[in-house]
Amino acid sequence: MLDERAPICFNRQVAEGFYRLRLEAPRIATQAEPGQFASLRVSDQLVPLLRIPLSFCAVDKQAGTIDLLYETRGPKSRLLSQAQPQQTLSCLGPLGRGFVPPAPGQRVVLVGGGIGLPPLLFMGARLRQQGHEEVVLLAGARSAAKHLPSGELQAAAPQVRLATDDGSLGHGGLVTELLAEELEAGSGSMVCACGPQGMMAAAAGLCRRREVSCQVSLEEYMACGFGVCVGCVVETASGEGYGRYQRICVEGPVFDALQVRWEEG
Ligand SMILES: Cc1cc2nc3c(=O)[nH]c(=O)nc-3n(C[C@H](O)[C@H](O)[C@H](O)COP(=O)(O)OP(=O)(O)OC[C@H]3O[C@@H](n4cnc5c(N)ncnc54)[C@H](O)[C@@H]3O)c2cc1C
Ligand code: FES
């Protein structure tokens, strides 16, 4: 884990309530892998005390920059949206474990709901850089205004399919309905999912029934972000007593979906 004082290159709104932040953090950029995250102090004041964990959305090793994409939800993200270029932020990273890469030529289906897209955009862009073109991105949002610009999505995958809850863009319905279609259409896929808990549980269930490998990037409130407070645990499907809990910030945030004990729903 590295700790950099990172100057802001830009911090701009890209969709309704969504911001893209670019930081100059050359040492972190060299090491960051898709699925890993950074932890930012959004203010030099005492409050808010905790850092905000955000997944890497894009990394440019040559330029020494990292991009983060976030939704304004509460105090930390709202303060962050007011940060200006030339300001510097304390940035810890890269943290956690990222996605396991696919086998050569294996078809990859990336499924993102809401603000679950950032790690998938990085995963897709990295695969394309490596010449892996068998990638489909399925992106779900509440409405058209909540979708990222199409250029941002297409950088991650040659094929992009959109869904909206209100039917204002793409498929009217759940993004997991698109996943079900994709799994019907192609065999031997690997799925990577990130989004609301219910969406990931549904994706995990679809993949389990079709014996398709599925990795999920989980979220939980985090205090330290690097394994000390044990405040971010997830219950796994194996192990006894406390042994069945794993820390999302160290053993995750990416887990094999079969490892996770999903709530019945
Ligand atoms: C590993 C990891 C990666 C993340 N990557 C991103 C990212 O790339 N982009 C992004 O926008 N957000 C991401 N998040 C979530 C983000 O860290 C939280 O939304 C943020 O901490 C909210 O802080 P806040 O003070 O603005 O809002 P808070 O006041 O802390 O929260 C506002 C509301 O958001 C919800 N919320 C907050 N944190 C979480 C959480 N961890 N899980 C589920 N619901 C939550 C709650 O309903 C809460 O009422 C990530 C979280 C983790 C753990
Ligand atoms: S946030 Fe402290 S152990 Fe994970």
Side-chain angles (χ1 to χ4, degrees):
M1 175 179 73
L2 301 163
D3 184 1
E4 288 199 73
R5 191 83 214 168
I8 296 175
C9 305
F10 63 71
N11 185 27
R12 57 179 172 236
Q13 189 160 5
V14 290
E16 193 180 274
F18 290 93
Y19 289 76
R20 190 175 185 123
L21 169 70
R22 178 166 296 168
L23 295 173
E24 214 178 300
R27 290 185 301 136
I28 293 175
T30 313
Q31 296 185 10
E33 295 294 332
Q36 290 187 298
F37 64 100
S39 183
L40 300 180
R41 278 226 69 191
V42 296
S43 162
D44 289 330
Q45 309 297 313
L46 192 60
V47 179
L49 184 64
L50 298 180
R51 290 168 175 267
I52 183 166
L54 295 173
S55 302
F56 297 110
C57 158
V59 166
D60 186 332
K61 290 186 190 190
Q62 280 189 326
T65 58
I66 58 172
D67 285 20
L68 307 161
L69 190 63
Y70 63 95
E71 182 175 18
T72 48
R73 281 178 169 176
K76 294 188 291 287
S77 50
R78 273 203 296 272
L79 260 178
L80 187 58
S81 70
Q82 290 157 18
Q84 300 293 325
Q86 304 315 322
Q87 213 176 311
T88 62
L89 298 174
S90 164
C91 178
L92 295 181
L95 298 167
R97 280 195 205 157
F99 293 107
V100 176
Q106 187 178 22
R107 183 165 170 269
V108 179
V109 184
L110 306 172
V111 196
I115 197 58
L117 275 175
L120 304 174
L121 297 182
F122 185 19
M123 178 69 169
R126 176 63 63 86
L127 290 173
R128 293 195 88 175
Q129 272 169 8
Q130 293 167 346
H132 198 115
E133 288 289 320
E134 282 291 301
V135 185
V136 184
L137 173 65
L138 310 177
R142 286 199 293 278
S143 66
K146 292 274 180 194
H147 265 298
L148 295 174
S150 56
E152 301 228 14
L153 302 176
Q154 276 153 4
Q159 200 194 337
V160 177
R161 297 182 68 192
L162 304 179
T164 46
D165 294 352
D166 66 0
S168 53
L169 187 65
H171 169 75
L174 300 174
V175 72
T176 43
E177 291 163 4
L178 295 181
L179 175 62
E181 286 176 18
E182 289 296 330
L183 295 181
E184 284 297 321
S187 58
S189 303
M190 173 184 113
V191 172
C192 300
C194 185
Q197 186 75 8
M199 187 221 96
M200 286 194 284
L206 282 170
C207 292
R208 192 185 60 244
R209 287 192 289 279
R210 288 171 174 79
E211 299 184 352
V212 168
S213 95
C214 178
Q215 299 175 61
V216 288
S217 180
L218 300 182
E219 279 191 17
E220 192 42 86
Y221 284 106
M222 288 187 175
C224 70
F226 45 80
V228 177
C229 72
V230 198
C232 64
V233 291
V234 59
E235 189 175 354
T236 62
S238 58
E240 293 290 320
Y242 288 124
R244 67 185 194 277
Y245 292 98
Q246 299 219 341
R247 293 162 301 177
I248 289 180
C249 68
V250 176
E251 284 85 27
V254 178
F255 291 89
D256 186 318
L258 293 176
Q259 256 187 290
V260 178
R261 184 178 295 275
W262 300 99
E263 280 176 24
E264 304 291 325

